Amino acid sequence: LHELQKVMNYPKFRFTENQKARFLTILLETARVVEAPGYIKVIEEDHSDDVILETAIVGNADFIISGDEHLLKIKKYSWIKIVSASEFLTSSL
């Protein structure tokens, strides 16, 4: 959640404070929140991205949908496919 909040503040997204708050509210009402113990160290360029991988594993996710270049270059970690939003929406993965 901390990583998501950080990313939503990137100027390129231009989210209003109301949009960010609404998105987080919807997410917390519908998502299953899991905690990552912090054991995975895979992404040398940015260890803050490791928590995304670990959370996906703990949560038994099938996909990570991201625009993060460090995650996208992995393409797959264990059984989890890592794709961009456009790739997820336009392909039959």
Side-chain angles (χ1 to χ4, degrees):
L1 290 173
H2 295 295
E3 181 76 8
L4 175 59
Q5 288 175 312
K6 182 178 91 173
V7 168
M8 287 193 317
N9 284 320
Y10 290 169
K12 69 179 180 178
F13 293 123
R14 295 183 291 229
F15 292 129
T16 66
E17 291 302 315
N18 187 44
Q19 288 171 319
K20 290 185 276 189
R22 177 122 171 83
F23 179 74
L24 286 173
T25 298
I26 292 168
L27 181 67
L28 291 171
E29 288 173 353
T30 58
R32 180 171 55 108
V33 177
V34 298
E35 290 197 36
Y39 299 135
I40 292 178
K41 303 289 185 226
V42 174
I43 303 174
E44 293 299 321
E45 301 90 349
D46 187 358
H47 284 298
S48 68
D49 291 336
D50 288 329
V51 72
I52 305 300
L53 289 175
E54 192 165 24
T55 301
I57 289 169
V58 172
N60 200 30
D62 293 319
F63 294 93
I64 294 173
I65 302 169
S66 178
D68 185 281
E69 64 184 68
H70 302 123
L71 289 169
L72 289 171
K73 77 176 186 181
I74 295 172
K75 298 184 191 228
K76 188 173 183 182
Y77 186 79
S78 195
W79 70 89
I80 302 164
K81 294 178 183 175
I82 304 170
V83 297
S84 68
S86 61
E87 184 179 3
F88 183 78
L89 292 172
T90 60
S91 68
S92 56
L93 301 169

